[in-house]
Amino acid sequence: ELTDLEQLAALLSSSTAKAQLKTIDTLSTLGTSGETVLMEFLSGADNAPIWVKGKAFLILKASESPQVQEFLQRHYPQGIVALNSDRDIDYSSLQELLMVQKFQEADRLTLLKMCELAGESAIGRKWLYFSEVNRFPRTDLRTIDTLWLAYSEGKFGFSVQRELWLGVGKNWEKLWPKIQWRTGKTWTRYPNEFIWDVSAPRGHLPLSNQLRGVRVMDSLLSHPVWNE
Ligand code: UYC
């Protein structure tokens, strides 16, 4: 006969992502025994979505138990996302900001990292040309997207924005209200009117300034990486 804890552990590795997130919430209320299940889940060669693992990681990270902190330090000193880059870009500070849920700073840093990815002139300019975005390596876009997904319960990231954009037939006017970048005729004002936590609608972050038009965002969401 299975104990409650064993049942929760089984649920954690077998159910849908949504049920897994709920199970993690339940486990987070059970003290040390819940933490043990979460640590086993994290280190298991499990093919759960990255944001399910991210949620388990964040719960463990908030724990005061020295054993848990030692476990995290040993296995995930920088976080759970592998920071792959084809251009030697260091994404560790982006991972740090996202894992402490500093989404506004992470949003700024995301733009800076993409400027680094684009090269010297973009670093100076502090914004992107669509032609630079077209040439972004898949590896780096995948890393940035995975970082946003992992620490937002799967709510934020370019791939989420792309999914919503395809869902409205690539109609930008329909996308803006869905991700709360515009309400009626009014653009959401940067930065204070944006929602800088996971209570935001899906796809709300990261931001792409629309001051110079949609071409950069079009390039981001049309990039071949998302067809993989
Ligand atoms: N801003 O309104 N935005 C800025 C957004 C627009 C404007 C930065 C997003 C509309 C100006 C970010 C939306 C608009 C600046 C964003 C939004 C406008 C600025 C900082 C909803 C006027 C000062 C990073 C679509 C009607 C900077 C950056 C400048 C900044 C994001 C105005 C992240 C998602 C059309 C005047 N806005 N932006 O890119 O360049 O500067 O002068 O999108």
Side-chain angles (χ1 to χ4, degrees), residues 144-162:
I144 293 168
D145 187 54
T146 306
L147 282 169
W148 277 95
L149 285 171
Y151 301 110
S152 69
E153 300 190 7
K155 269 193 159 177
F156 300 149
F158 301 130
S159 62
V160 178
Q161 293 170 342
R162 173 185 158 87

Side-chain angles (χ1 to χ4, degrees), residues 14-184:
S14 70
S15 54
T16 63
K18 208 172 171 181
Q20 284 177 314
L21 291 177
K22 265 186 90 177
T23 307
I24 292 169
D25 271 329
T26 307
L27 286 163
S28 76
T29 67
L30 300 181
T32 309
S33 46
E35 289 172 347
T36 305
V37 175
L38 288 174
M39 286 189 283
E40 276 166 12
F41 168 69
L42 254 192
S43 45
D46 196 278
N47 48 13
I50 191 71
W51 61 88
V52 173
K53 292 187 160 201
K55 172 143 180 146
F57 173 82
L58 290 181
I59 296 231
L60 289 171
K61 202 164 172 295
S63 160
E64 279 163 16
S65 148
Q67 285 90 332
V68 170
Q69 292 312 321
E70 192 189 304
F71 166 87
L72 292 179
Q73 199 49 47
R74 180 150 31 93
H75 296 279
Y76 311 98
Q78 292 199 90
I80 56 160
V81 178
L83 302 178
N84 303 319
S85 170
D86 279 359
R87 306 252 166 99
D88 255 347
I89 308 244
D90 181 2
Y91 294 106
S92 56
S93 46
L94 182 57
Q95 175 142 251
E96 260 167 53
L97 288 173
L98 287 168
M99 77 168 72
V100 297
Q101 312 277 283
K102 289 189 173 172
F103 290 113
Q104 187 172 348
E105 284 101 322
D107 181 65
R108 292 301 68 220
L109 190 57
T110 298
L111 178 64
L112 291 179
K113 287 291 162 186
M114 290 197 293
C115 287
E116 255 186 70
L117 201 51
E120 287 300 327
S121 52
I123 294 173
R125 176 183 343 121
K126 294 196 166 69
W127 49 275
L128 298 163
Y129 285 137
F130 73 96
S131 51
E132 294 166 332
V133 174
N134 287 340
R135 292 193 298 267
F136 278 175
R138 297 171 189 221
T139 307
D140 290 67
L141 278 181
R142 182 67 76 192
T143 296
I144 293 168
D145 187 54
T146 306
L147 282 169
W148 277 95
L149 285 171
Y151 301 110
S152 69
E153 300 190 7
K155 269 193 159 177
F156 300 149
F158 301 130
S159 62
V160 178
Q161 293 170 342
R162 173 185 158 87
E163 182 198 313
L164 295 168
W165 180 59
L166 295 181
V168 294
K170 301 191 178 180
N171 183 329
W172 297 106
E173 302 315 308
K174 289 186 181 164
L175 181 67
W176 307 141
K178 239 187 201 320
I179 61 177
Q180 224 168 295
W181 287 9
R182 201 168 65 194
T183 308

Side-chain angles (χ1 to χ4, degrees), residues 107-108 111 126-127 176 180-182 187-191 194 196 204 206-213:
D107 181 65
R108 292 301 68 220
L111 178 64
K126 294 196 166 69
W127 49 275
W176 307 141
Q180 224 168 295
W181 287 9
R182 201 168 65 194
W187 291 105
T188 304
R189 296 261 291 271
Y190 181 83
F194 289 94
W196 302 105
H204 192 62
L207 301 183
S208 296
N209 192 358
Q210 297 305 307
L211 196 57
R212 299 177 190 86

